[in-house]
């Protein structure tokens, strides 16, 4: 396969840096451009983007000049625009790139609920990509970082015992807020409710992902989202009512057997779900990096006296929940021949 | 009122130190003895108990000699034995003190579910104390630190809209595990499910507290308990189904108006519940010390698409949830004439 | 004494809120105005300043309207302008207030090294206030939060064994950066060198405070400043060479006996320095609030094989090191008759 | 090369687990036995040793039966005994293994200062191994985790500008205390002086490592050791006086050029030292894993007004400072033909 030329929109932020980290050596993709806001344009990437991840800015891209975030600023032939843009600006910019014929693979929330935009976790609902069939320019999105462990853990259950309702409480890492994001003053030895609209996003996104490509699943999800002093990794506590009321043992077996619906993808790990029997796990620091951050860890799958079943699930919020999610979606587009 | 002579059983641990801190200057009580395990007996208190709270060991008690935890080791006339004993030993020791005629006011879990032992939050179910009427020796207990913010926030609702079911997720401080308790290695930038049986305790204790003195309330509570890197303060996220399905506004009004059922007590603050309208509160570090740690802070009282109502509540786990809980129970015994 | 009318300049930030907290009930001062930047002017204080400290905005001031930070916006008769202004703007604003005849008592760094501006810790160098004698408008400053525990611990030593040189390493709380200040992403389970010019400030400010009012002390101080994941409280490790090379026992005795040079002030605690013998103290969370945050805790006073003496010292950086420092300076001005 | 059979003594603790992690796939060594204390003997390793590192216990060793820590319990032919024993028991046990003819490669402190025991960082003082030449049974040790970044950063300087004296302040991770080690209660949002004798160890170990194999270097090191709420990674702030007083630029050049004195070893990374120019680095979480935890990161190399030069250095305390240190010493023994 010829390397597919891709650009990273909004490459200077935390999700953008995670994309840079993952794409600098990728079996399918070759980065052609890094874009930024006015403040960053025409600067060296390493200067525009103070590196916020471990180690240093990849030296291969450090000297690249940041380009404006417009379709005509990208080198000819660039096929995918991976969008790590902030939702404050992503809406119209992504539409411009779509209009210009790009496959926009976005982590931003703006277009997730559009009827013609698939909201995809490759292993969960790859068939939703059919929404873009036959188009050259389109937008494909991945879900909010908080719903990803919920959706991944529910996917193998939903296949046999449809979800009827769920209450969810999250333990969300600070990297979910980007950089600088949460103030250290607020997070030292403290937790607090997430002030944004995460709880609403979790409800509607779960319904779209776990539904059919043109009709949302009908269950209710009521979430409480809380920020905790953790760097990376969103843990969720899920209480769920499933049609058929499976036992914890049956639920665990379904999770362990689950291989997902996607074809083989570079970013999709084996196993997808690790189900641990340790009573004190999943624990963020110790489980977040499984499968290079793309495996979801589930634990304490137990009877719930109110809803029937309860469990914990954990996923890396800026890898499986953001940059890696988008890249896996890009891989799925490539493997399914939708970039032709 | 003559000062009432009281002893602190297990005075060297974290809850014992909180009791020392609260009782060294108390309008009702006068400490007569501090007891400890074999390892501590006959040592100076300040030496037996490395001080783990802010500042230093109260100088008034620093030179006291730690006594064995037996009834005959206490000075004659001691009326209340406040028990901060570990549950590994509290069961039979508290029975001995009861048999010896003491009012045992305990924070330990061992006897909480006994039919003849009241499980009391003074402002919530003071009438349960009737279970000990007419006895000289008895045991009175306070609930697990995790259920206290749940029970306090539900109490004013339960009075008008009986609880039908609730799912709960906790964000529990490390001090709940005593000292040394949780390993720092496990808690730096990490959260993990509580490996003990907290979840079960929360269910049955909530039913007993919010029920009548001789019959548990019939609702189900299903909890997920998680330890977070916070020093003091348990935050809970509650999704609850209430008979009559009150609006969030009605629920908040009931909480704000609530003055509890207890007579005036030195440790009972005004207000009992603070209901905040800030979307990022309650936040552990900023709300935990309200009312000297005895006020419970509630926030984000909102519609729940699954259960009807949801909210957050926060209480100080070693004050309102342990040492202060026991002392308030002792005050209630005194004020209601049960120490005669 | 008639209450002295005072204004708080820059009342919406973290230090400003600490000033509000301390001045709302003060035996000497009566707040007449709260000022803010353009963004805040004409808003209610509680709305302009999201409350970042424990509990809620003091209700007495919540509804006050924020005024512009100009001399003519203050009510007539206001005598002191307590400045919690950011150093980005404090320089010229404070000069305007001085020119308008105010006693500007500032926490900002801008004028600290001016020859006609005293840099004062009341108990250490109250005589430096003589620099403003005879003037109606003047500026008085307090030192950088990092140097305060160093200067307070060295003051009683310097009196008998002049400092020759010191190396210092700090463990600085995030509140030193204001709000939002440090990013939580950078501080979760991590420490890093302070990127600003704290190290330089510590050197020159120590020389000015411990010197005579018109000539800096001649010793060298070389500091390393590090931010640690702590909310409040700067710990410092000091290695110091003293003329006369006192023993640790002599040094501790001098520290314990020290009562400072100030007259009695409401904000000046007794003792000024607590010297602990515990090998694991001072520890930030456990010692920071001594003396309502105005006492400095010293520990591990030991022989140093390189410099002669070494010790740790801890002070509350936004109380003793900022808001409380300024207020104590204001009190000293009042008590010494300089506000006449 | 034939794989060299090695045992891990004290394999269940935190350093033991790090050794397991590193040795399960090693180009030189083949694990033959895992030993533990009485409590662990005859149990499956995965059961005796609750896994405390990321992910799970390596499945290849999970079912191994833990053996007693005695020479005759090891399979015949085992050549190296890597010791992760606690210093409470390591002293005499390591002597037994030496007497039985083993190459004991130890992380324990007990024998570090023995005249016939080399204290080695392979890249710094490999020549010290000559102390064991001609013997079959011997002990080789690595230094305390706190001194390792100091010694590595000073090594290239010492070669040209001999160290005259240094003051050091540490910012030490909780993993240095093993498991459970530090109490979470003490470390949430707090720092405190290390209560043990780390400061003394740092002084004498630095002199031995940077000296000749039979004579300690004559400089004084005075350290302050502080525990900070960080999982892995010891940061040190060093103020040093060097003969010849090199400029920061010269010092940095020497550090960057340094390739060490060891032959090529699997665990020895390139580069050994990374010198960063970022003012806010090294930062524990972002720099600790360089070179798989074996690279030391240096920053802020600057003039010191008291000692001449100052800098920060960071190393992974349980990899470069413990398990990896011992394994690299084992590799050096192998490559230099001392296991024949």
């Amino acid at each position: 396969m010829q390397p597919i030329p891709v650009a990273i929109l909004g490459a200077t932020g935390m999700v953008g840096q995670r994309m840079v980290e993952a794409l600098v050596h990728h079996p399918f993709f070759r980065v052609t451009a890094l874009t930024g806001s006015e403040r960053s344009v025409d600067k060296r990437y390493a200067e525009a983007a103070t590196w916020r991840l471990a180690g240093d800015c990849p030296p291969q891209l450090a000297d690249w000049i940041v380009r404006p975030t417009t379709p005509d600023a990208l080198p000819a032939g660039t096929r995918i625009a991976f969008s790590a843009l902030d939702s404050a600006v992503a809406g119209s910019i992504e539409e411009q790139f779509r209009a210009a014929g790009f496959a926009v693979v976005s982590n931003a929330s703006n277009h997730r609920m559009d009827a013609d935009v698939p909201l995809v976790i490759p292993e969960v609902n790859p068939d939703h990509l059919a929404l873009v069939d036959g188009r050259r320019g389109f937008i494909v999105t991945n879900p909010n970082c908080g719903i990803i462990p919920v959706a991944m853990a529910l996917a193998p259950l939903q296949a046999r015992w449809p979800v009827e309702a769920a209450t969810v409480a999250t333990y969300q890492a600070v990297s979910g807020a980007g950089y600088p994001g949460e103030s250290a003053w607020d997070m030292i030895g403290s937790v607090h409710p997430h002030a944004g609209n995460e709880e609403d996003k979790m409800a509607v996104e779960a319904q779209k992902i776990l539904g059919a490509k043109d009709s949302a699943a009908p269950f209710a999800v009521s979430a409480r989202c809380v920020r905790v002093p953790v760097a990376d990794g969103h843990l969720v506590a899920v209480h769920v009512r499933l049609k058929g009321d499976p036992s914890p043992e049956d639920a665990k077996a379904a999770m362990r057997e689950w291989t997902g619906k996607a074809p083989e993808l570079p970013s999709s790990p084996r196993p997808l779900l690790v189900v641990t029997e340790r009573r004190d796990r999943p624990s963020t620091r110790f489980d977040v990096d499984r499968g290079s951050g793309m495996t979801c860890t589930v634990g304490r799958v137990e009877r719930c006296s109110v809803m029937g079943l309860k469990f914990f699930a954990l996923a890396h919020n800026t890898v499986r929940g953001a940059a890696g999610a988008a890249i896996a979606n890009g891989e799925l587009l490539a493997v399914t021949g939708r970039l032709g």
Side-chain angles (χ1 to χ4, degrees), chain A:
Chain A
M1 177 157 61
Q2 281 286 93
I4 300 164
V6 304
I8 303 174
L9 312 186
T12 60
M14 183 166 298
V15 173
Q17 294 190 14
R18 285 274 182 210
M19 287 185 179
V20 163
E21 197 175 49
L23 290 172
V24 69
H25 297 295
H26 191 280
F28 289 6
F29 304 127
R30 181 173 52 82
V31 180
T32 63
L34 305 172
T35 86
S37 64
E38 210 168 304
R39 198 178 45 74
S40 301
V41 167
D42 288 339
K43 292 191 181 149
R44 292 174 55 244
Y45 177 63
E47 180 197 352
T50 303
W51 192 248
R52 301 294 174 193
L53 304 180
D56 303 307
C57 178
Q60 301 93 327
L61 301 179
D63 292 330
W64 285 33
I65 300 302
V66 176
R67 303 183 183 218
T69 309
T70 54
D72 54 9
L74 301 195
T78 302
R79 183 66 189 96
I80 299 184
F82 283 111
S83 167
L85 293 168
D86 192 277
S87 62
V89 299
S92 62
I93 294 180
E94 293 180 354
E95 289 168 18
Q96 290 166 34
F97 278 82
R98 175 173 58 186
F102 285 91
V104 179
V105 181
S106 173
N107 178 58
S109 61
N110 309 58
H111 293 291
R112 283 183 197 149
M113 298 309 297
D114 293 2
D116 59 347
V117 170
L119 178 64
V120 174
I121 301 174
E123 301 92 339
V124 173
N125 61 335
D127 54 303
H128 288 206
L129 282 191
L131 288 172
V132 305
D133 282 350
R135 302 197 223 160
R136 179 158 181 86
F138 54 80
I139 299 173
V140 170
T141 59
N142 57 263
N144 177 276
C145 49
I147 200 62
I148 284 199
V150 180
M152 286 186 69
L154 287 179
L157 305 181
Q158 166 83 348
R160 293 173 54 184
W161 308 286
V163 175
E164 295 184 339
T167 62
V168 177
T170 73
Y171 303 75
Q172 298 187 232
V174 300
S175 58
Y179 189 89
E182 296 282 350
S183 160
W185 170 252
D186 287 334
M187 300 306 314
I188 300 288
S190 204
V191 302
H192 65 82
H194 191 293
N197 65 339
E198 297 269 295
E199 299 183 354
D200 296 338
K201 283 195 267 186
M202 288 187 71
V204 295
E205 295 186 11
Q207 294 163 347
K208 182 163 177 176
I209 302 161
L210 292 176
K213 69 176 188 291
D214 44 15
S215 67
F219 55 75
V221 171
S222 175
R224 300 269 64 173
C225 294
V226 174
R227 194 71 80 190
V228 296
V230 155
D232 281 319
H234 286 1
L235 179 75
V236 293
V238 179
H239 297 79
V240 63
R241 195 164 64 234
L242 297 168
K243 189 177 171 67
D245 197 22
S247 70
E249 289 312 312
D250 286 349
K252 285 192 279 188
M255 288 169 169
R256 287 186 168 124
E257 288 159 12
W258 188 55
T259 54
K261 302 181 184 171
E264 199 178 323
L265 302 174
S267 298
S268 183
R270 284 290 170 275
L272 287 169
L273 298 177
V274 165
V275 181
T276 174
E277 296 293 337
R278 279 181 63 172
R279 283 184 65 77
D280 62 348
R281 300 278 282 265
S283 180
T284 319
R285 228 175 68 238
F286 301 106
D287 290 304
V288 70
D289 286 326
R290 287 183 191 272
S292 302
M294 291 296 283
T295 290
C296 174
T297 305
V298 176
R300 298 287 296 270
V301 183
E302 295 168 358
R303 278 256 167 247
C304 169
S305 61
V306 173
M307 302 291 279
L309 192 76
K310 57 185 177 183
F311 60 83
F312 289 102
L314 171 77
H316 193 302
N317 58 299
T318 62
V319 178
R320 173 51 94 168
I327 291 168
N329 279 343
E331 294 168 0
L332 181 63
L333 287 168
V335 166
T336 59
R338 287 183 167 98
L339 299 174

